Amino acid sequence: MEYFATELLTLLFAALRSATPVLAVVLGEAMTQRSGVINLGVEGQMLLGAMTGFAVASVTGDPWLGVMAACFAGIALSMVHAILVLGCGANQIASGVAVLILGGGLSAYYGTPFVGDKIDTLGNLNHTFVSDIPLLGQFLGPITPTVLITLLAIPAISIFLFRTRTGLRWRSTGESQDITRNLGHNPVHYQLAAIAFGGLMSGFAGAALAVDYTANWVEGMTAGRGLVAVGLVIVARWNPWYALPAALLFGASEALNLKLQSWGVNISPYLLATLPYMIPLSVLMLSYRGLRASGGGMPAGLSVVFQSAR
Amino acid sequence: MTNATQLPVTLGLRLLRGPAGAVLVMATIFVVATLAFFAINGREAVSLFQEMVMGAFGDSYSFSETLVKTAPILLTALAVALPARLGLISVGGEGQLYLGALFGTGAVLAAVDQPGWILMPLMLAGAMAGGALWGVIPGLLKTRLGVNETISTLLLNYVGILLVSFVVHGPWKNPNSLGWPATIEFPAGAIMPQFFDTRVHMGLVFGIVAAIILHILVTRSRWGLGLQVSRSNPRVGATAGISYERNVLIVMAVGGLLAGLAGIAEASVIQNRLQDGLASGYGMTGFLVAWLAGQHFLRIIPLSVLMGGLLASADSLQLYAQLPKASADILQALLFIIVLAVASLWGRRRDI
């Protein structure tokens, strides 16, 4: 029983750590979509953030500088989406794919010299008071700063979105741009901020992956995490609190994948590696069923993009 | 005051205000952006650009390599453009390509001792079935559950690639390949026909024929008209007996089938076997080409040749000028961004 509980808690905390980059993207993308804009480019922004963060950490020797640089890289790339969508009125999906390809290309091009570099990590909670907590200490110890920052972002975003005037206008922009306009505000400003925030979070997510979680840079290392996150936003019903369990789905399937391999389960690692895509996709199916029945909180401005020709 | 010399000028100006002008602006900005990208990275911009054009269209060998790349781009672009006729945004070309290669290879391995006239049709049928399957799944998710096809196709791409990795590392791995993850070499009967002693293969013909047939079907047939009605208003379509759901499945299946052919052509002709990294990125390039062409089947053909040229020259420049492979991705993305921006602004200006 105790063995079982330990294994389960180990798995849960492993899931939390591997879920963190995805969680950050889900939070950012949920905020973007709340303003009525969808951005598939988060995958590319995440890659550029990961590469930039790792490169800066490697050159300066300061991983925190790397995290900051990653955030800026994410914002910078997201501005391409902002210019195309808000400035030119281009199709949001197509623009997102353009940003996705650009981010992948730029990170591969400029990241090559840094492949195999060693960087200092951000550290973790081991050797602090937390790791001395009885029973739970061994699980809380390996938690790293990006996990904590991302978790803290949940209540912060929630308070902003649901308890402030700006948050109200942010949400109303996603429901109907006319409402925001009638209130005397420019909806485009909110959407610009929303895309930039999505850029910030996806850049940060890249750093959480490359600088913190793996301390490594490999071309294309996000492997669809950003795209999984875009799907999970729907599972999370655009709600920052539900983003955590949604992202944990990805984390748990990845942790389970690694765990099953370490147990020597006789299944090909390549089949197991499909779990982090198949499980979120399966939950997405269930979630859509609920969405169809109830409307499920999809920002009205999004349904135009999401349910084309339906 | 009109005279004979003014007429061509006014006609020219009128033409420039239309699509021709937009294309000219796009091309100019793209060339400038490419030169700037080279210059920023400390390269001899102009000479590198010349080499790039030569590497794509300079001699018969370069051009044949361009056409080799054209085939999968053309087929995967059709796999995007056909669903787009129904308002669907599928990004699943990559996964469908891999599934086509997977099922086609499965057919080859199952009938490896058969003569070519049995083996070849079996292989192509397998490839089409595999690609179609990877199109129908997101189609079903869309019609049955309402799952957004963009997200499901994107996620299924990764699954498709992993499934190919699974078989080439596992059950289908050639025991004599000394640890290299790949299937056995395809027998001669399973190598698709090629032309003029080059690697240009039947896949290109399939693509061109499919583009023409699709164009005719969509613009001239009842079914094509039905797609238009379904797209603009599924309910009106339903009263006229046109099932939106069935059309979703048809366009996704046919699109997938075409991408599947691209996959088996890569395995059969280019690699002679199924292995990892079969065709990374063709699906995305196909998506891009479909959008550049405005989802127009016939325009996709020349644009696929152009984009094939970009990829082929990037390959040769990687060898001769140490230009990183990723530059092809960056240039593709720049082109896409420029075209999206100019086309959107142009369309908007004309509305006013």
Side-chain angles (χ1 to χ4, degrees):
Chain A
M1 184 62 208
E2 198 186 311
Y3 169 77
F4 183 70
T6 314
E7 280 292 297
L8 200 67
L9 274 174
T10 314
L11 194 66
L12 183 71
F13 279 91
L16 179 63
R17 285 178 47 205
S18 93
T20 293
V22 173
L23 175 58
V25 181
V26 174
L27 288 171
E29 177 73 11
M31 286 293 275
T32 308
Q33 293 191 11
R34 279 278 184 177
S35 81
V37 178
I38 178 171
N39 185 4
L40 288 176
V42 283
E43 175 80 14
Q45 294 162 19
M46 205 179 165
L47 270 174
L48 192 65
M51 188 280 288
T52 311
F54 187 81
V56 170
S58 170
V59 170
T60 65
D62 184 347
W64 282 109
L65 272 181
V67 174
M68 278 162 61
C71 295
F72 281 113
I75 296 176
L77 190 55
S78 74
M79 284 304 107
V80 174
H81 191 59
I83 292 169
L84 280 176
V85 169
L86 304 178
C88 306
N91 178 288
Q92 300 189 1
I93 303 282
S95 164
V97 173
V99 171
L100 191 164
I101 301 174
L102 184 63
L106 287 174
S107 60
Y109 191 101
Y110 293 105
T112 312
F114 303 101
V115 172
D117 278 9
K118 296 268 176 292
I119 57 165
D120 289 338
T121 57
L122 298 171
N124 55 29
L125 295 180
N126 272 330
H127 311 295
T128 63
F129 74 96
V130 177
S131 57
D132 297 333
I133 298 172
L135 293 176
L136 281 180
Q138 55 170 319
F139 303 111
L140 295 176
I143 284 183
T144 55
T146 57
V147 178
L148 291 178
I149 295 172
T150 312
L151 287 177
L152 285 176
I154 296 174
I157 288 173
S158 176
I159 289 170
F160 169 78
L161 209 50
F162 299 110
R163 295 271 182 273
T164 68
R165 273 167 185 279
T166 321
L168 177 68
R169 289 195 289 264
W170 189 298
R171 283 182 290 137
S172 76
T173 304
E175 297 296 337
S176 158
Q177 296 201 22
D178 288 339
I179 296 180
T180 313
R181 211 172 280 123
N182 290 344
L183 290 171
H185 299 276
N186 188 344
V188 174
H189 293 171
Y190 287 88
Q191 294 185 324
L192 182 65
I195 294 173
F197 184 74
L200 172 90
M201 291 303 277
S202 49
F204 175 80
L209 186 68
V211 180
D212 196 6
Y213 185 55
T214 63
N216 193 15
W217 158 251
V218 188
E219 193 182 317
M221 72 183 297
T222 53
R225 281 178 175 80
L227 298 168
V228 169
V230 176
L232 290 176
V233 169
I234 300 158
V235 176
R237 302 277 166 99
W238 297 270
N239 183 320
W241 291 104
Y242 296 162
L244 179 60
L248 276 175
L249 268 174
F250 174 89
S253 29
E254 199 176 60
L256 190 69
N257 164 20
L258 299 175
K259 200 80 197 170
L260 287 174
Q261 285 183 40
S262 75
W263 284 341
V265 172
N266 199 14
I267 302 177
S268 160
Y270 298 96
L271 285 186
L272 289 177
T274 61
L275 285 179
Y277 309 103
M278 292 304 281
I279 293 179
L281 186 59
S282 314
V283 179
L284 193 61
M285 293 176 207
L286 298 176
S287 183
Y288 258 103
R289 249 175 72 180
L291 203 65
R292 237 185 193 186
S294 67
M298 175 185 282
L302 261 193
S303 53
V304 186
V305 188
F306 253 118
Q307 298 171 325
S308 49
R310 277 210 57 239
Chain B
M1 273 276 287
T2 49
N3 56 45
T5 52
Q6 252 181 327
L7 192 65
V9 177
T10 30
L11 265 180
L13 279 177
R14 191 166 296 166
L15 209 68
L16 277 185
R17 232 172 273 156
V23 171
L24 200 69
V25 170
M26 289 169 190
T28 312
I29 300 179
F30 178 61
V31 171
V32 172
T34 306
L35 292 175
F37 171 70
F38 289 154
I40 288 169
N41 290 290
R43 311 296 294 248
E44 287 287 335
V46 177
S47 71
L48 194 58
F49 190 84
Q50 278 169 345
E51 276 180 61
M52 228 177 89
V53 177
M54 294 306 283
F57 306 104
D59 53 47
S60 59
Y61 173 74
S62 315
F63 189 59
S64 81
E65 282 303 295
T66 293
L67 290 180
V68 168
K69 308 259 176 205
T70 303
I73 298 172
L74 172 55
L75 286 162
T76 49
L78 295 176
V80 174
L82 182 60
R85 287 296 163 133
L86 207 49
L88 302 175
I89 302 179
S90 163
V91 202
E94 191 90 0
Q96 292 157 358
L97 184 151
Y98 271 82
L99 260 280
L102 180 74
F103 276 52
T105 305
V108 171
L109 295 180
V112 75
D113 299 327
Q114 301 295 327
W117 62 272
I118 298 181
L119 192 50
M120 181 65 60
L122 269 180
M123 176 181 88
L124 295 178
M128 292 193 276
L133 175 73
W134 232 231
V136 164
I137 294 173
L140 278 173
L141 293 180
K142 169 90 179 173
T143 54
R144 292 294 161 87
L145 301 170
V147 176
N148 176 267
E149 72 284 357
T150 307
I151 291 170
S152 58
T153 49
L154 276 166
L155 293 185
L156 285 172
N157 283 345
Y158 291 94
V159 178
I161 293 169
L162 282 166
L163 288 180
V164 168
S165 293
F166 159 62
V167 296
V168 301
H169 285 268
W172 293 358
K173 184 173 163 187
N174 178 4
N176 303 324
S177 68
L178 304 171
W180 179 255
T183 63
I184 56 163
E185 226 173 286
F186 280 20
I191 309 289
M192 284 163 71
Q194 291 142 258
F195 306 109
F196 315 117
D197 277 338
T198 65
R199 302 202 295 169
V200 181
H201 52 76
M202 277 303 285
L204 185 64
V205 178
F206 289 150
I208 294 172
V209 171
I212 295 170
I213 292 177
L214 285 175
H215 177 74
I216 294 171
L217 273 180
V218 163
T219 53
R220 308 241 186 257
S221 76
R222 280 175 67 92
W223 177 68
L225 187 69
L227 286 187
Q228 269 180 38
V229 176
S230 251
R231 179 189 185 168
S232 49
N233 194 334
R235 276 193 203 140
V236 172
T239 56
I242 303 160
S243 162
Y244 174 75
E245 277 75 16
R246 200 174 58 217
N247 275 335
V248 168
L249 296 182
I250 291 174
V251 295
M252 290 302 290
V254 174
L257 170 165
L258 293 171
L261 283 175
I264 198 60
E266 288 304 300
S268 156
V269 180
I270 309 301
Q271 319 264 13
N272 293 143
R273 54 177 68 75
L274 186 64
Q275 59 186 11
D276 268 341
L278 174 72
S280 61
Y282 282 135
M284 277 299 172
T285 306
F287 180 85
L288 200 143
V289 164
W291 276 82
L292 299 190
Q295 320 291 359
H296 188 290
F297 298 115
L298 295 184
R299 277 183 219 149
I300 284 178
I301 301 173
L303 281 166
S304 299
V305 178
L306 269 181
M307 201 58 92
L310 179 66
L311 293 192
S313 66
D315 264 13
S316 70
L317 286 187
Q318 190 186 2
L319 225 58
Y320 301 120
Q322 278 78 47
L323 192 72
K325 197 176 183 323
S327 15
D329 287 340
I330 297 176
L331 294 181
Q332 281 184 62
L334 283 179
L335 177 62
F336 198 10
I337 288 167
I338 291 163
V339 170
L340 278 176
V342 174
S344 310
L345 289 176
W346 216 267
R348 193 190 270 183
R349 207 195 60 176
R350 269 203 309 195
D351 287 343
I352 293 172

